[in-house]
Amino acid sequence: MTDFSKLVPAHVQKLASYKPGKPRRQAELESGMRCIKMASNENPFGPSPLAIEAIKAAAAEVNFYPDNSVTELTARLAEIQRIEPTQVLVTAGSSALLDIMAWTLLGPGLNAITSKLSFIVYPIVTRATGAQFIEAPTVDDGYDLDRILAAVDVNTRLIYLANPNNPTGTILDANAIDRFLDRLPSHVITVLDEAYCDYASYFAAERGFAYSHALDYVRQERRVVVLRTFSKAHGLAGLRVGYGMGPAELMGYFARMKTAFMVSSLGEAGALAALADSDHIQRAVQTNAAEAKLLTQAISDMGIRVTPTWTNFLFCRVGEDAAGLCRVLQDDGIIVRHMSGSWGAPDAFRVTVGTPEQNQQFLGALKRAVSRIPA
Ligand SMILES: Cc1ncc(COP(=O)(O)O)c(C=O)c1O
C-alpha cells in the first residue's frame, strides 16, 4: 500500500479545509424540520429576476465552453469603474482570486498578514503555498492597522484587509487606509477585500462616513488589489462570480494562474444581468440597513453583545458556548454560524440579516434558546 502522507508536503498535511455555513438540507435532515439559513451572508431576497432570465437563456448553450477571458463582463466592469479592462480579472468567486494571488506571490519563506477575527479563507490560501500566515491583534473587534504595520518584514508580500470585515462587521475609515498605504514598503501588496461594499456604502451614506478610496488607488495603479463579488448583494453566490481590480501588469500575472474556462457562461450572463438591476441591489441594501438596526436592538435587549455592523450580518458574543446555542437554534429551524474553530471566537455567533419575516422567526428562536441557558 502506498503511504500517501510521504507524497504530500508537511505544510499541506497540516492544512485545515474551509468549513462553510451548514447547507439547509443537511440542517433539515439533522433537525427534522424546515430551516432558514442565516449562516453565509447571502442575499435573502434571492437573485434579480433579470439574472434568472439571463441564466435561463444562457442555459441553452452550455454545450459550448464559456469565453475564457470573460470579455463582456470584464469590459462592463471596467466601464462602470472607469478603469481599463486590463485592470480587471473575473474569477470563480473572489475566493478563487485570493487563491490565485497567494499562489502567484507567496511561497515558503514569505508571509501574508491580516488580523485575528478575519475571513477564514485568508489562512487557507496562504498556508497552502507554504507561506507563513501572521495575525495581528484586533482593536474593538476590528483591524488594528498599526499592529499590522508592525508585523511587516522583508518577507511580507500580501496584507489582507476585509472592509467591512467578516465575521465582525467592522469597517475601516478610507483616510486611515490612505495613511496605512503610504507607510507600506514597496514589496507589499494590499488586498482590499470589499465583498460587502454595497451594504457598507449604504450605511456610510446614512451615517456620513468616508468608506473607501479603493477605486482611486486602482486608477492610480497603486500596489492594491480590490476584490468584489456577485455573491452578496447581487444574490448570485451559487453561480461563483467575483473579480479583482489592480495594476494591469499584476492582474496579467494573476490571469496566467487562472484555470482555463474558470468562469461559466451562466455565471457571466447572470452577473451581467445582475449589474443592470440596480433596483434589486437598492432594495437589498435598504432593507438590510433597517433590519440590521432592528436586530441589533432586539439581540442586545436579550443581554447579548452585538458589534455595530456595517454589513449584512451581526457578530454576537454570547458567553462561553456559542456552538451549543447554535445547535439549539438549529433544532428550532434557524441556521446561524458559531465562530469557534478557525474563526477564533468560541463565545460568538454570526447571523446574516434575513428578510423581515426571517428575522422575526430568528428573534423568536433566539429568545427561546436564551431562556434555556441557565444564568
Ligand atoms: C470578506 C469576504 N471576502 C470574500 C468572500 C468570498 O466570496 P466569493 O468567493 O463568494 O466571491 C467572502 C464570502 O463570504 C467574504 O466574506
Side-chain angles (χ1 to χ4, degrees):
M1 284 284 281
T2 304
D3 179 356
F4 293 110
S5 68
K6 294 217 162 44
L7 306 178
V8 176
H11 74 270
V12 176
Q13 292 186 38
K14 275 192 259 158
L15 285 181
S17 57
Y18 179 72
K19 296 219 171 38
K22 194 170 282 185
R24 190 161 56 85
R25 277 191 199 88
Q26 186 191 335
E28 287 176 346
L29 277 176
E30 285 172 9
S31 301
M33 65 186 302
R34 281 196 71 72
C35 288
I36 301 169
K37 187 174 177 219
M38 303 172 81
S40 300
N41 309 336
E42 295 137 338
N43 182 337
F45 296 104
S48 144
L50 298 186
I52 296 175
E53 277 312 305
I55 294 163
K56 280 187 189 158
E61 294 198 3
V62 290
N63 52 316
F64 294 110
Y65 282 101
D67 172 3
N68 187 45
S69 306
V70 207
T71 315
E72 214 182 322
L73 179 57
T74 305
R76 182 72 192 115
L77 291 168
E79 185 184 26
I80 291 171
Q81 305 296 0
R82 290 178 286 113
I83 57 179
E84 294 301 318
T86 48
Q87 294 177 292
V88 182
L89 185 66
V90 182
T91 51
S94 51
S95 309
L97 190 46
L98 282 166
D99 208 35
I100 289 172
M101 285 190 285
W103 284 111
T104 311
L105 294 166
L106 299 174
L110 300 172
N111 69 62
I113 309 173
T114 188
S115 109
K116 287 189 184 302
L117 287 180
S118 191
F119 187 36
I120 50 168
V121 166
Y122 303 153
I124 295 172
V125 297
T126 302
R127 290 182 179 134
T129 70
Q132 187 193 359
F133 181 69
I134 299 172
E135 288 173 295
T138 54
V139 55
D140 299 330
D141 280 342
Y143 287 98
D144 184 334
L145 293 177
D146 289 331
R147 305 292 283 271
I148 290 177
L149 266 172
V152 171
D153 65 22
V154 289
N155 299 316
T156 305
R157 292 293 175 275
L158 284 172
I159 292 177
Y160 307 110
L161 299 179
N163 196 28
N165 185 37
N166 177 11
T168 58
T170 53
I171 202 165
L172 284 167
D173 180 291
N175 301 310
I177 297 181
D178 281 351
R179 290 191 295 275
F180 174 78
L181 293 177
D182 286 343
R183 291 166 66 195
L184 279 179
S186 61
H187 60 274
V188 180
I189 291 158
T190 303
V191 180
L192 290 176
D193 183 345
E194 296 192 340
Y196 302 95
C197 63
D198 299 286
Y199 297 105
S201 303
Y202 188 89
F203 279 121
E206 208 180 50
R207 298 169 183 173
F209 181 85
Y211 166 44
S212 171
H213 298 153
L215 262 299
D216 294 334
Y217 309 142
V218 177
R219 292 182 198 112
Q220 294 155 9
E221 292 252 311
R222 295 185 67 171
R223 289 182 309 276
V224 163
V225 178
V226 180
L227 296 187
R228 301 273 173 95
T229 181
F230 286 90
S231 300
K232 304 299 171 187
H234 295 82
L236 297 178
L239 269 192
R240 311 306 303 127
V241 190
Y243 58 102
M245 297 169 285
E249 183 189 353
L250 189 59
M251 302 314 281
Y253 291 125
F254 296 152
R256 295 181 202 183
M257 297 289 281
K258 195 171 73 121
T259 320
F261 304 116
M262 177 183 256
V263 178
S264 73
S265 43
L266 302 188
E268 183 174 19
L272 273 166
L275 278 178
D277 194 349
S278 49
D279 287 352
H280 186 75
I281 306 287
Q282 188 58 21
R283 172 169 168 240
V285 298
Q286 206 170 335
T287 314
N288 177 72
E291 290 292 308
K293 194 168 159 198
L294 194 145
L295 278 175
T296 303
Q297 185 62 53
I299 299 171
S300 308
D301 288 347
M302 293 181 215
I304 294 172
R305 188 152 61 88
V306 184
T307 305
T309 190
W310 292 82
T311 180
N312 68 336
F313 54 84
L314 303 175
F315 184 74
C316 308
R317 289 201 189 262
V318 282
E320 276 308 295
D321 183 20
L325 182 80
C326 292
R327 272 194 301 277
V328 174
L329 283 173
Q330 187 187 308
D331 287 339
D332 208 349
I334 306 286
I335 315 166
V336 299
R337 188 102 172 244
H338 65 78
M339 297 283 104
S340 49
S342 313
W343 291 103
D347 62 331
F349 72 86
R350 190 194 67 196
V351 58
T352 304
V353 178
T355 62
E357 300 73 34
Q358 291 172 342
N359 296 332
Q360 286 312 311
Q361 288 192 46
F362 160 74
L363 287 174
L366 185 62
K367 206 171 262 172
R368 286 188 289 278
V370 167
S371 69
R372 286 174 49 178
I373 297 174

